Amino acid sequence: MRRETLTAIVGVAVLALGISGYIAADIADRVPGFLTTAEVPSPADPPELPADSGQSLATFSTPEGEPVLSSDVAQLWASVAQSAEEGQWRAWGNVIDARSGEVLLDASASQAHTPASTTKVLTAFAALKTLDPASTLTTSVQVSGSELFLSSEGDFLLGAGTSDPDDVNGRAGLADLAEEAAAALVNAGTTNVTLNWADSPFDGPDRLEAWTAQDVQGYVGAVGAMAIDAGRTAPSVYTFVDDPESTVAAVFAQRLQERGIAVTLGGASSGLEGAETIATIQSAPLGEQIRWMLYNSDNTLAEQLGRLSAKARGVETSFPGAVSVIRQTLEESGVPTSGLSLGDCSGLSSDDRIAPQTLVGAINVSLASTGPLADLPRSLPWAGLNGTMERRMTGGGAYANAQAKTGTLGAVSSLAGIVQTSTGRILVYAIGSENVPDDGGALTRPVLDAFVTGLADL
C-alpha cells in the first residue's frame, strides 16, 4: 500500500496543477461498472480526411479489387532486407490479404521478436474482448457524518477542473464532483469534513523489475484506483506522481475548499460503514479510453486497462494476471500465440516477445468481427493525421490511408496495422526492426514507412 505525508500530497497536487511543459521521447512513441451490459457501440467514424487525399477507410464492404501478388510484396521487402543488411540490424515482417487470408510476406513471421508499443494492440484486443466498451467508470464521494470517502472504479483520466465533454482525458472533472458534493454537504449543514480515499485495488507491484533494470521506468506511472491525466505531474510530460490516489484526493480537497467546505486530509482506507453516496462523475466510455491509449501510446493507461481486464476475468490483478488475460483472449479467438512472452501490457520492457503473425492475427480477427473488437482497427492512428502516426507517411498512397500502432525502443522500431491498396484490397501487416546499432527509431522508421507506402501503391 502506498502512503505519503500530508505535505508531500499537497505539494504534488499543486505541482500537478501548476507545471506545464513538454518532453519528447522516442520510447513513448511519440466501470456504472465495467461489467455492465450496455449496448455495444458501432465503430466510431474515421477522422475527417483532407479533400485531396482520395482515401477512405478500408472496410469489408469495399470491392475486392485486384489481388496482390506475393512477388510484388517480396520486391518491396527486398529494399527493407537490403537496408537491414547494410545497417547490420534485423528486419521481420508479416503481411496478409485480409479477405482471403493469403500470406503475402513471411519474414520470420512465426518467430517472436521485441514488439515495443505494438504490444498495445494485444492489450486493446483483450480489453475489447473482456470489458464493456460502452460502459463508463464511476468516481464517487460518500459521506458518513463528517467523514468523506473518495473512490473510483479505475478512471485514470480524471480532470482536475470541470468536466470536458469533448475530450477523453478529463471527461470526468473533479470540480464538478466537488460542486455536487459541496451542495449536498451544505444542504445537510456540514461544512467541515475529513477526506479519506481509496487505495490501489490491484495486486502486486506497480513497477516491473525489468523496467528499472532497463532504465525505462520513467515512462510509465503507477496503476491504481484513480488518477488525473494518467498520473502525470503536468500535461504532456513523462514524470509521474508516486501515489495517484492521494494526489486526486488533494486536488479534490482543494476544489471542496474553493466551495466553502473546510477539509482535513485523512488517508487511504477501504471505505466508510453505512455511507451515503452524495456525488458521482462518469468517465469517457471504455471504448474511447482504449482508442485514446492507442492514439497516444500511453503506457500507464495500457497497464491500467490490463489490470481492469484481469479484474473482470477474476484473475490476479498483477502483471502476470493481466498478461495472462491477453494470452487467454487471443487463444479464445484462434489467434496464434506461439512464442508469446509478455512481462507487461504496454510493451515498455525489451524482454517482451511477440511473433508478427500474432499481431496480424489479432488485427485480422478484429476486422472480421461484428462485436466490440470491430473498433480495434479504427482505433489505430492514421498516417499523417493523428496520434503517433501524425508525422509518419505524410505523403504518397499511405497518407490518410494506412493505420498503425507504432512501437519504439532504443534498438527497436515496429508497426502493426492495416492499409488499403490502390485497387481497394485490404492488407494487414506487422513489421519491425531490432538489434539496431544506434537509434532504432530514427534509423529504421523511414525504411518501414516506405514499405507500407509501397503496399498502399500496389
Side-chain angles (χ1 to χ4, degrees):
M1 297 295 181
R2 298 183 296 268
R3 298 290 188 273
E4 291 183 353
T5 65
L6 177 59
T7 300
I9 291 170
V10 175
V12 170
V14 171
L15 181 64
L17 291 170
I19 299 177
S20 62
Y22 179 83
I23 298 176
D26 278 350
I27 204 165
D29 276 323
R30 79 170 356 140
V31 227
F34 51 75
L35 294 179
T36 58
T37 55
E39 181 181 355
V40 175
S42 299
D45 292 333
E48 185 174 345
L49 305 180
D52 62 352
S53 71
Q55 302 290 349
S56 61
L57 177 69
T59 69
F60 274 86
S61 62
T62 303
E64 289 192 13
E66 290 294 322
V68 173
L69 300 177
S70 59
S71 58
D72 290 339
V73 177
Q75 186 173 353
L76 291 173
W77 189 253
S79 296
V80 179
Q82 181 178 350
S83 295
E85 182 179 359
E86 293 174 351
Q88 297 183 325
W89 46 272
R90 185 181 183 188
W92 50 262
N94 188 204
V95 179
I96 69 168
D97 183 301
R99 184 177 295 274
S100 68
E102 180 185 358
V103 177
L104 302 174
L105 173 70
D106 182 342
S108 299
S110 61
Q111 298 177 21
H113 306 274
T114 306
S117 280
T118 55
T119 303
K120 295 182 177 75
V121 170
L122 305 188
T123 301
F125 185 97
L128 288 168
K129 283 275 289 183
T130 303
L131 306 173
D132 177 1
S135 68
T136 59
L137 302 171
T138 302
T139 300
S140 60
V141 180
Q142 294 179 310
V143 64
S144 178
S146 62
E147 296 277 325
L148 295 186
F149 181 66
L150 174 66
S151 64
S152 178
E153 292 177 322
D155 189 358
F156 251 50
L157 297 179
L158 290 167
T162 58
S163 301
D164 186 348
D166 298 321
D167 201 345
V168 176
N169 188 10
R171 182 73 55 86
L174 292 175
D176 289 350
L177 187 67
E179 185 75 29
E180 185 178 352
L185 290 169
V186 170
N187 187 56
T190 303
T191 57
N192 195 317
V193 298
T194 298
L195 176 64
N196 300 298
W197 57 89
D199 204 348
S200 174
F202 301 134
D203 302 318
D206 292 321
R207 295 289 191 276
L208 197 67
E209 288 185 9
W211 293 344
T212 303
Q214 296 158 15
D215 197 25
V216 296
Q217 71 276 12
Y219 296 100
V220 60
V223 295
M226 53 192 166
I228 298 169
D229 189 22
R232 290 178 179 81
T233 58
S236 301
V237 305
Y238 289 100
T239 54
F240 298 88
V241 299
D242 291 329
D243 187 337
E245 294 91 358
S246 64
T247 302
V248 173
V251 173
F252 179 67
Q254 183 176 341
R255 295 293 173 256
L256 283 176
Q257 289 169 344
E258 292 167 356
R259 288 155 178 81
I261 305 297
V263 182
T264 299
L265 285 172
S269 75
S270 58
L272 298 174
E273 289 289 337
E276 173 192 1
T277 300
I278 59 172
T280 61
I281 48 177
Q282 304 294 330
S283 72
L286 283 171
E288 293 184 32
Q289 294 203 33
I290 292 168
R291 177 180 298 224
W292 190 92
M293 179 271 291
L294 290 169
Y295 268 39
N296 294 281
S297 198
D298 191 277
N299 295 314
T300 310
L301 191 55
E303 300 299 340
Q304 180 77 358
L305 288 166
R307 300 295 178 99
L308 292 177
S309 298
K311 183 178 181 180
R313 289 270 177 163
V315 303
E316 185 180 79
T317 56
S318 60
F319 282 112
V323 299
S324 75
V325 173
I326 292 177
R327 178 182 292 275
Q328 181 180 356
T329 53
L330 291 169
E331 292 177 347
E332 288 171 351
S333 301
V335 177
T337 58
S338 177
L340 180 66
S341 177
L342 297 176
D344 58 34
C345 297
S346 59
L348 192 56
S349 171
S350 58
D351 294 335
D352 291 339
R353 295 291 185 272
I354 303 175
Q357 66 180 10
T358 300
L359 292 165
V360 166
I363 295 171
N364 205 41
V365 165
S366 302
L367 278 171
S369 175
T370 57
L373 276 177
D375 201 40
L376 176 55
R378 282 186 171 177
S379 295
L380 299 173
W382 291 68
L385 294 183
N386 50 35
T388 57
M389 288 287 285
E390 184 175 9
R391 298 180 182 178
R392 306 280 294 267
M393 307 178 209
T394 55
Y399 170 66
N401 169 13
Q403 291 177 266
K405 179 68 204 77
T406 57
T408 305
L409 289 171
V412 174
S413 185
S414 55
L415 289 169
I418 62 173
V419 65
Q420 186 172 251
T421 69
S422 61
T423 64
R425 205 78 179 187
I426 307 163
L427 306 182
V428 185
Y429 60 90
I431 56 177
S433 60
E434 58 189 355
N435 302 328
V436 184
D438 297 311
D439 184 340
L443 181 64
T444 65
R445 275 179 188 162
V447 178
L448 301 180
D449 290 359
F451 176 75
V452 177
T453 300
L455 293 177
D457 292 336
L458 290 176

